[in-house]
Amino acid sequence: MKLPARLAALAAAALVVTACAPQASDNSTSGTDQKTGTLRVWLFQEVGNKPKEEVVASVVASFEKAHEGTKVDVEYIPVETRAQRVKAAFNDPESAPDVMEYGNTDTAGYVHDGGLLDVTEEFAGWSAAKDTDPTARQAVTVDGKVYGAPFYVGVRALYYRTDIFEELGLPVPKTMTELASTARKIRAAKPGLYGLVVGGAYTYGAMPFVWAGGGELATGKNGSYASAIDSAAAQKGIKTYTSLFGDDNCPAAKCAGMGGNDTVTAFAAGKAGMAIGGDFSHTAVEAGKVKGKYAVVPLPGVTAGSIAPAFAGGNNIGVLKSTTHRTLAVELMKELAAKKTQAELFDAMGFLPTFTDVRQQVAAEEPFVRPFVQTLAAGTKFVPASPAWARIDSSLVLPTMFQEIVSGKKDVAAASEDAAKKMNDAFSSAG
């Protein structure tokens, strides 16, 4: 099976953009600091985006009222195509936003490309910054300098249908082996449902299977990395994950092209018995057909009682170096990432706050947060802190690997070795 047309197009576009990526440069401002005018903002389009839009609209209205002569223009962009949009903006400042949301995995790459503004001084002077979770602070820091404000932290756990489990008399899985067998039991009893909906383009839903068995994405430190995705431990985890693609759980023809949003959408629509979703997926699931008929537990690990390591995800809000409104843009960044905004986004979208005091408050008020907090406490993983990761991610190296395996084009060893070579090429080119 070939890559789905949509993913093939994305991969091709990403490679073209990577080839014309800007040279690394300093991250100082453009030199112009206009105190009025229009600020352009790019934020990510979420599944069930309306509540996020309402929170942001309130922040924007207050900001415009407090800054006479200033207008804020917000555009919501698809996460899947962010690489192309952002790289183009770095190359053409005229098309660039002043402020943007970006994934914490993109920080090192965007800094290397000279696209993000160094806001170390402003962050240090921000009173709320002292309450930022250390891990979240790390997500905006490169070589000791700060390039944005943490927006939210995100981890994934196991969503499951309580009504189906009760009907079929199934216990909640306590190991990954039980997870797979439970998924197949659901599919056998209810052929119209996916047992555990998985996606070939869902990198961060797949990685817990690799990490739980001792595998790693890469090894190294201080910017020097080598891929480990083809190690014996990693291959075992890859095999566990890709074995879930089949007619007895989630048919490859339908599931190979799915990303994270696709799997959450399927679960929310009542098309799956289980799904791996984030705390940030809560609102979308609540708005779906399964409202009142699901629960969430940490994704089980290899042994009973263990929790599979989750990707320490999350997003940041940063200012682009090309902005001609530095002071206003930094102030807007702070307002979008403020404690009040994060608390409202938690209520609206389920995004976990990056401020420890705000997170403690919401966890005490909302039971659904507990499995995600447990997952955070059990230990999380992150991607290599290398500018190469943006290229690896946008070039769909890992999704391609998974799809080659589930389509039968390559076995686990060959596909992971090819992926490792692509990763190492990217690490080498990043210096």
Side-chain angles (χ1 to χ4, degrees):
M1 180 190 299
K2 295 182 178 180
L3 277 174
R6 178 175 66 87
L7 289 176
L10 278 178
L15 289 171
V16 170
V17 171
T18 300
C20 63
Q23 296 297 313
S25 63
D26 68 85
N27 293 76
S28 58
T29 186
S30 65
T32 304
D33 191 11
Q34 299 172 13
K35 299 301 192 291
T36 60
T38 299
L39 293 176
R40 297 181 61 205
V41 179
W42 286 357
L43 299 177
F44 290 156
Q45 179 86 29
E46 312 288 347
V47 176
N49 200 57
K50 191 65 176 177
K52 179 178 181 179
E53 293 176 26
E54 292 172 352
V55 171
V56 171
S58 177
V59 174
V60 167
S62 296
F63 187 85
E64 290 179 339
K65 184 176 180 181
H67 298 83
E68 186 176 353
T70 299
K71 176 178 171 53
V72 178
D73 181 14
V74 180
E75 180 182 356
Y76 290 89
I77 66 173
V79 177
E80 294 82 3
T81 58
R82 73 188 188 282
Q84 296 93 305
R85 293 289 300 272
V86 173
K87 290 292 186 181
F90 288 174
N91 280 313
D92 179 17
E94 292 296 319
S95 71
D98 298 275
V99 179
M100 73 174 185
E101 178 179 359
Y102 66 94
N104 59 11
T105 60
D106 295 324
T107 306
Y110 290 171
V111 170
H112 178 267
D113 289 343
L116 291 177
L117 183 67
D118 178 353
V119 295
T120 305
E121 184 177 344
E122 291 92 339
F123 190 84
W126 185 25
S127 61
K130 69 182 187 302
D131 296 320
T132 301
D133 181 303
T135 302
R137 183 190 295 263
Q138 183 182 1
V140 293
T141 304
V142 177
D143 294 333
K145 296 182 179 180
V146 178
Y147 294 92
F151 192 36
Y152 69 84
V153 62
V155 291
R156 292 166 175 83
L158 182 67
Y159 284 71
Y160 71 96
R161 288 279 298 276
T162 52
D163 57 334
I164 291 176
F165 273 65
E166 182 178 350
E167 178 187 342
L168 300 180
L170 298 171
V172 178
K174 292 183 171 59
T175 66
M176 283 193 163
T177 298
E178 290 181 8
L179 178 68
S181 63
T182 300
R184 294 185 173 97
K185 288 175 183 177
I186 294 171
R187 178 73 171 178
K190 295 182 175 294
L193 297 181
Y194 304 122
L196 169 65
V197 60
V198 289
Y202 191 8
T203 299
Y204 299 118
M207 288 313 299
F209 293 81
V210 175
W211 289 323
E216 297 288 350
L217 279 167
T219 57
K221 59 181 180 179
N222 298 328
S224 178
Y225 292 92
S227 177
I229 199 65
D230 59 342
S231 69
Q235 287 184 5
K236 185 176 180 180
I238 293 167
K239 185 175 181 180
T240 299
Y241 184 69
T242 54
S243 70
L244 294 166
F245 292 81
D247 291 340
D248 60 351
N249 176 53
C250 201
K254 293 183 178 180
C255 303
M258 286 189 181
N261 283 355
D262 298 320
T263 63
V264 170
T265 298
F267 182 82
K271 297 179 180 179
M274 297 181 288
I276 299 169
D279 52 273
F280 43 85
S281 307
H282 178 256
T283 299
V285 176
E286 277 288 289
K289 293 182 179 179
V290 299
K291 179 179 174 63
K293 298 183 290 187
Y294 74 94
V296 185
V297 294
L299 184 68
V302 174
T303 59
S306 67
I307 296 175
F311 165 65
N315 288 355
N316 305 323
I317 297 288
V319 176
L320 270 72
K321 189 186 71 172
S322 58
T323 184
T324 56
H325 300 83
R326 177 182 178 129
T327 300
L328 286 171
V330 172
E331 286 303 311
L332 181 57
M333 174 194 78
K334 292 178 182 178
E335 291 302 312
L336 287 169
K339 289 185 178 183
K340 180 176 182 292
T341 307
Q342 290 196 17
E344 292 175 350
L345 281 170
F346 171 79
D347 290 337
M349 299 294 294
F351 294 168
L352 278 179
T354 64
F355 297 106
T356 54
D357 54 341
V358 181
R359 188 188 304 163
Q360 290 170 357
Q361 177 184 338
V362 301
E365 296 172 355
E366 293 290 352
F368 89 82
V369 174
R370 293 171 192 163
F372 302 103
V373 173
Q374 289 176 325
T375 301
L376 281 166
T380 56
K381 294 281 191 176
F382 197 58
V383 299
S386 166
W389 184 255
R391 174 180 167 186
I392 293 167
D393 192 29
S394 66
S395 298
L396 306 176
V397 172
L398 296 180
T400 298
M401 176 188 72
F402 292 127
Q403 290 161 344
E404 287 175 338
I405 295 167
V406 302
S407 68
K409 183 177 179 181
K410 294 179 182 176
D411 61 19
V412 172
S416 63
E417 287 167 5
D418 286 349
K421 183 179 183 303
K422 293 174 185 176
M423 291 175 68
N424 285 331
D425 287 345
F427 289 136
S428 296
S429 65

PDB file of all heavy atoms in Angstrom, residues 218-243:
ATOM      1  N   ALA A 218      16.200   8.283  20.350  1.00  0.00           N
ATOM      2  CA  ALA A 218      17.599   8.567  20.040  1.00  0.00           C
ATOM      3  C   ALA A 218      18.398   8.573  21.339  1.00  0.00           C
ATOM      4  O   ALA A 218      17.836   8.646  22.440  1.00  0.00           O
ATOM      5  CB  ALA A 218      17.733   9.912  19.334  1.00  0.00           C
ATOM      6  N   THR A 219      19.699   8.503  21.206  1.00  0.00           N
ATOM      7  CA  THR A 219      20.591   8.609  22.362  1.00  0.00           C
ATOM      8  C   THR A 219      21.559   9.757  22.116  1.00  0.00           C
ATOM      9  O   THR A 219      21.852  10.116  20.981  1.00  0.00           O
ATOM     10  CB  THR A 219      21.397   7.312  22.570  1.00  0.00           C
ATOM     11  OG1 THR A 219      22.139   7.015  21.367  1.00  0.00           O
ATOM     12  CG2 THR A 219      20.477   6.144  22.886  1.00  0.00           C
ATOM     13  N   GLY A 220      22.046  10.344  23.203  1.00  0.00           N
ATOM     14  CA  GLY A 220      22.976  11.450  23.083  1.00  0.00           C
ATOM     15  C   GLY A 220      22.551  12.607  23.957  1.00  0.00           C
ATOM     16  O   GLY A 220      21.556  12.538  24.679  1.00  0.00           O
ATOM     17  N   LYS A 221      23.297  13.699  23.884  1.00  0.00           N
ATOM     18  CA  LYS A 221      22.980  14.902  24.648  1.00  0.00           C
ATOM     19  C   LYS A 221      23.759  16.070  24.082  1.00  0.00           C
ATOM     20  O   LYS A 221      24.572  15.911  23.162  1.00  0.00           O
ATOM     21  CB  LYS A 221      23.318  14.706  26.129  1.00  0.00           C
ATOM     22  CG  LYS A 221      24.786  14.384  26.407  1.00  0.00           C
ATOM     23  CD  LYS A 221      25.013  14.178  27.905  1.00  0.00           C
ATOM     24  CE  LYS A 221      26.479  13.848  28.180  1.00  0.00           C
ATOM     25  NZ  LYS A 221      26.729  13.656  29.620  1.00  0.00           N
ATOM     26  N   ASN A 222      23.460  17.258  24.631  1.00  0.00           N
ATOM     27  CA  ASN A 222      24.132  18.484  24.217  1.00  0.00           C
ATOM     28  C   ASN A 222      24.075  18.699  22.705  1.00  0.00           C
ATOM     29  O   ASN A 222      25.046  19.116  22.081  1.00  0.00           O
ATOM     30  CB  ASN A 222      25.598  18.480  24.687  1.00  0.00           C
ATOM     31  CG  ASN A 222      25.725  18.425  26.193  1.00  0.00           C
ATOM     32  OD1 ASN A 222      24.875  18.955  26.918  1.00  0.00           O
ATOM     33  ND2 ASN A 222      26.765  17.775  26.684  1.00  0.00           N
ATOM     34  N   GLY A 223      22.927  18.380  22.131  1.00  0.00           N
ATOM     35  CA  GLY A 223      22.725  18.635  20.711  1.00  0.00           C
ATOM     36  C   GLY A 223      23.280  17.581  19.789  1.00  0.00           C
ATOM     37  O   GLY A 223      23.089  17.661  18.568  1.00  0.00           O
ATOM     38  N   SER A 224      23.984  16.577  20.321  1.00  0.00           N
ATOM     39  CA  SER A 224      24.559  15.525  19.482  1.00  0.00           C
ATOM     40  C   SER A 224      23.792  14.227  19.728  1.00  0.00           C
ATOM     41  O   SER A 224      23.834  13.677  20.833  1.00  0.00           O
ATOM     42  CB  SER A 224      26.043  15.334  19.819  1.00  0.00           C
ATOM     43  OG  SER A 224      26.603  14.287  19.046  1.00  0.00           O
ATOM     44  N   TYR A 225      23.098  13.755  18.714  1.00  0.00           N
ATOM     45  CA  TYR A 225      22.232  12.588  18.872  1.00  0.00           C
ATOM     46  C   TYR A 225      22.445  11.573  17.760  1.00  0.00           C
ATOM     47  O   TYR A 225      22.882  11.914  16.656  1.00  0.00           O
ATOM     48  CB  TYR A 225      20.755  13.005  18.867  1.00  0.00           C
ATOM     49  CG  TYR A 225      20.352  13.797  20.084  1.00  0.00           C
ATOM     50  CD1 TYR A 225      20.420  15.188  20.074  1.00  0.00           C
ATOM     51  CD2 TYR A 225      19.895  13.171  21.240  1.00  0.00           C
ATOM     52  CE1 TYR A 225      20.049  15.932  21.189  1.00  0.00           C
ATOM     53  CE2 TYR A 225      19.525  13.900  22.359  1.00  0.00           C
ATOM     54  CZ  TYR A 225      19.606  15.272  22.330  1.00  0.00           C
ATOM     55  OH  TYR A 225      19.251  15.996  23.435  1.00  0.00           O
ATOM     56  N   ALA A 226      22.105  10.316  18.098  1.00  0.00           N
ATOM     57  CA  ALA A 226      22.084   9.230  17.119  1.00  0.00           C
ATOM     58  C   ALA A 226      20.775   8.479  17.318  1.00  0.00           C
ATOM     59  O   ALA A 226      20.335   8.248  18.449  1.00  0.00           O
ATOM     60  CB  ALA A 226      23.268   8.292  17.332  1.00  0.00           C
ATOM     61  N   SER A 227      20.149   8.101  16.231  1.00  0.00           N
ATOM     62  CA  SER A 227      18.869   7.410  16.316  1.00  0.00           C
ATOM     63  C   SER A 227      19.008   6.071  17.020  1.00  0.00           C
ATOM     64  O   SER A 227      20.004   5.365  16.870  1.00  0.00           O
ATOM     65  CB  SER A 227      18.291   7.184  14.917  1.00  0.00           C
ATOM     66  OG  SER A 227      17.084   6.443  15.006  1.00  0.00           O
ATOM     67  N   ALA A 228      17.965   5.743  17.799  1.00  0.00           N
ATOM     68  CA  ALA A 228      17.906   4.431  18.458  1.00  0.00           C
ATOM     69  C   ALA A 228      16.609   3.722  18.110  1.00  0.00           C
ATOM     70  O   ALA A 228      16.258   2.724  18.731  1.00  0.00           O
ATOM     71  CB  ALA A 228      18.029   4.595  19.975  1.00  0.00           C
ATOM     72  N   ILE A 229      15.911   4.211  17.099  1.00  0.00           N
ATOM     73  CA  ILE A 229      14.607   3.656  16.761  1.00  0.00           C
ATOM     74  C   ILE A 229      14.725   2.250  16.166  1.00  0.00           C
ATOM     75  O   ILE A 229      13.728   1.512  16.087  1.00  0.00           O
ATOM     76  CB  ILE A 229      13.845   4.596  15.786  1.00  0.00           C
ATOM     77  CG1 ILE A 229      12.345   4.290  15.780  1.00  0.00           C
ATOM     78  CG2 ILE A 229      14.421   4.510  14.375  1.00  0.00           C
ATOM     79  CD1 ILE A 229      11.652   4.556  17.092  1.00  0.00           C
ATOM     80  N   ASP A 230      15.923   1.873  15.745  1.00  0.00           N
ATOM     81  CA  ASP A 230      16.118   0.535  15.190  1.00  0.00           C
ATOM     82  C   ASP A 230      16.756  -0.431  16.184  1.00  0.00           C
ATOM     83  O   ASP A 230      17.162  -1.540  15.812  1.00  0.00           O
ATOM     84  CB  ASP A 230      16.957   0.595  13.917  1.00  0.00           C
ATOM     85  CG  ASP A 230      18.333   1.203  14.137  1.00  0.00           C
ATOM     86  OD1 ASP A 230      18.526   1.886  15.179  1.00  0.00           O
ATOM     87  OD2 ASP A 230      19.209   1.015  13.281  1.00  0.00           O
ATOM     88  N   SER A 231      16.841  -0.052  17.463  1.00  0.00           N
ATOM     89  CA  SER A 231      17.389  -0.954  18.478  1.00  0.00           C
ATOM     90  C   SER A 231      16.428  -2.110  18.709  1.00  0.00           C
ATOM     91  O   SER A 231      15.241  -2.046  18.340  1.00  0.00           O
ATOM     92  CB  SER A 231      17.606  -0.209  19.794  1.00  0.00           C
ATOM     93  OG  SER A 231      16.359   0.136  20.377  1.00  0.00           O
ATOM     94  N   ALA A 232      16.917  -3.170  19.333  1.00  0.00           N
ATOM     95  CA  ALA A 232      16.073  -4.350  19.583  1.00  0.00           C
ATOM     96  C   ALA A 232      14.867  -3.993  20.445  1.00  0.00           C
ATOM     97  O   ALA A 232      13.740  -4.445  20.183  1.00  0.00           O
ATOM     98  CB  ALA A 232      16.910  -5.443  20.256  1.00  0.00           C
ATOM     99  N   ALA A 233      15.090  -3.179  21.479  1.00  0.00           N
ATOM    100  CA  ALA A 233      13.986  -2.798  22.368  1.00  0.00           C
ATOM    101  C   ALA A 233      12.956  -1.957  21.633  1.00  0.00           C
ATOM    102  O   ALA A 233      11.737  -2.143  21.791  1.00  0.00           O
ATOM    103  CB  ALA A 233      14.530  -2.044  23.578  1.00  0.00           C
ATOM    104  N   ALA A 234      13.423  -1.023  20.817  1.00  0.00           N
ATOM    105  CA  ALA A 234      12.504  -0.173  20.063  1.00  0.00           C
ATOM    106  C   ALA A 234      11.713  -0.999  19.054  1.00  0.00           C
ATOM    107  O   ALA A 234      10.500  -0.805  18.893  1.00  0.00           O
ATOM    108  CB  ALA A 234      13.275   0.939  19.361  1.00  0.00           C
ATOM    109  N   GLN A 235      12.391  -1.917  18.369  1.00  0.00           N
ATOM    110  CA  GLN A 235      11.705  -2.750  17.387  1.00  0.00           C
ATOM    111  C   GLN A 235      10.613  -3.597  18.032  1.00  0.00           C
ATOM    112  O   GLN A 235       9.548  -3.808  17.445  1.00  0.00           O
ATOM    113  CB  GLN A 235      12.711  -3.653  16.667  1.00  0.00           C
ATOM    114  CG  GLN A 235      13.599  -2.908  15.681  1.00  0.00           C
ATOM    115  CD  GLN A 235      14.521  -3.834  14.910  1.00  0.00           C
ATOM    116  OE1 GLN A 235      14.443  -5.054  15.024  1.00  0.00           O
ATOM    117  NE2 GLN A 235      15.407  -3.257  14.104  1.00  0.00           N
ATOM    118  N   LYS A 236      10.860  -4.049  19.253  1.00  0.00           N
ATOM    119  CA  LYS A 236       9.841  -4.831  19.956  1.00  0.00           C
ATOM    120  C   LYS A 236       8.605  -3.988  20.207  1.00  0.00           C
ATOM    121  O   LYS A 236       7.461  -4.445  20.019  1.00  0.00           O
ATOM    122  CB  LYS A 236      10.405  -5.357  21.279  1.00  0.00           C
ATOM    123  CG  LYS A 236       9.453  -6.275  22.028  1.00  0.00           C
ATOM    124  CD  LYS A 236      10.111  -6.847  23.282  1.00  0.00           C
ATOM    125  CE  LYS A 236       9.144  -7.771  24.023  1.00  0.00           C
ATOM    126  NZ  LYS A 236       9.779  -8.338  25.266  1.00  0.00           N
ATOM    127  N   GLY A 237       8.810  -2.743  20.630  1.00  0.00           N
ATOM    128  CA  GLY A 237       7.683  -1.848  20.860  1.00  0.00           C
ATOM    129  C   GLY A 237       6.955  -1.492  19.579  1.00  0.00           C
ATOM    130  O   GLY A 237       5.717  -1.390  19.561  1.00  0.00           O
ATOM    131  N   ILE A 238       7.712  -1.294  18.506  1.00  0.00           N
ATOM    132  CA  ILE A 238       7.107  -1.001  17.208  1.00  0.00           C
ATOM    133  C   ILE A 238       6.222  -2.167  16.760  1.00  0.00           C
ATOM    134  O   ILE A 238       5.115  -1.978  16.251  1.00  0.00           O
ATOM    135  CB  ILE A 238       8.195  -0.720  16.156  1.00  0.00           C
ATOM    136  CG1 ILE A 238       8.942   0.573  16.484  1.00  0.00           C
ATOM    137  CG2 ILE A 238       7.585  -0.636  14.754  1.00  0.00           C
ATOM    138  CD1 ILE A 238      10.215   0.771  15.689  1.00  0.00           C
ATOM    139  N   LYS A 239       6.721  -3.369  16.961  1.00  0.00           N
ATOM    140  CA  LYS A 239       5.955  -4.559  16.583  1.00  0.00           C
ATOM    141  C   LYS A 239       4.666  -4.649  17.392  1.00  0.00           C
ATOM    142  O   LYS A 239       3.600  -4.985  16.843  1.00  0.00           O
ATOM    143  CB  LYS A 239       6.791  -5.819  16.799  1.00  0.00           C
ATOM    144  CG  LYS A 239       6.112  -7.099  16.329  1.00  0.00           C
ATOM    145  CD  LYS A 239       7.044  -8.304  16.469  1.00  0.00           C
ATOM    146  CE  LYS A 239       6.350  -9.568  15.974  1.00  0.00           C
ATOM    147  NZ  LYS A 239       7.245 -10.764  16.093  1.00  0.00           N
ATOM    148  N   THR A 240       4.741  -4.341  18.682  1.00  0.00           N
ATOM    149  CA  THR A 240       3.542  -4.366  19.523  1.00  0.00           C
ATOM    150  C   THR A 240       2.503  -3.391  19.004  1.00  0.00           C
ATOM    151  O   THR A 240       1.312  -3.715  18.906  1.00  0.00           O
ATOM    152  CB  THR A 240       3.906  -4.018  20.978  1.00  0.00           C
ATOM    153  OG1 THR A 240       4.831  -4.982  21.481  1.00  0.00           O
ATOM    154  CG2 THR A 240       2.667  -4.003  21.871  1.00  0.00           C
ATOM    155  N   TYR A 241       2.942  -2.194  18.662  1.00  0.00           N
ATOM    156  CA  TYR A 241       1.994  -1.179  18.181  1.00  0.00           C
ATOM    157  C   TYR A 241       1.431  -1.539  16.811  1.00  0.00           C
ATOM    158  O   TYR A 241       0.215  -1.484  16.594  1.00  0.00           O
ATOM    159  CB  TYR A 241       2.672   0.187  18.124  1.00  0.00           C
ATOM    160  CG  TYR A 241       1.728   1.305  17.730  1.00  0.00           C
ATOM    161  CD1 TYR A 241       0.722   1.720  18.594  1.00  0.00           C
ATOM    162  CD2 TYR A 241       1.832   1.936  16.487  1.00  0.00           C
ATOM    163  CE1 TYR A 241      -0.149   2.738  18.243  1.00  0.00           C
ATOM    164  CE2 TYR A 241       0.968   2.963  16.129  1.00  0.00           C
ATOM    165  CZ  TYR A 241      -0.029   3.359  17.008  1.00  0.00           C
ATOM    166  OH  TYR A 241      -0.900   4.358  16.647  1.00  0.00           O
ATOM    167  N   THR A 242       2.285  -1.896  15.888  1.00  0.00           N
ATOM    168  CA  THR A 242       1.810  -2.153  14.524  1.00  0.00           C
ATOM    169  C   THR A 242       0.966  -3.423  14.429  1.00  0.00           C
ATOM    170  O   THR A 242       0.191  -3.580  13.490  1.00  0.00           O
ATOM    171  CB  THR A 242       2.991  -2.236  13.538  1.00  0.00           C
ATOM    172  OG1 THR A 242       3.939  -3.211  13.998  1.00  0.00           O
ATOM    173  CG2 THR A 242       3.680  -0.884  13.407  1.00  0.00           C
ATOM    174  N   SER A 243       1.086  -4.316  15.422  1.00  0.00           N
ATOM    175  CA  SER A 243       0.247  -5.521  15.414  1.00  0.00           C
ATOM    176  C   SER A 243      -1.226  -5.181  15.652  1.00  0.00           C
ATOM    177  O   SER A 243      -2.111  -6.011  15.413  1.00  0.00           O
ATOM    178  CB  SER A 243       0.725  -6.511  16.486  1.00  0.00           C
ATOM    179  OG  SER A 243       0.451  -6.025  17.789  1.00  0.00           O
TER     180      SER A 243
END
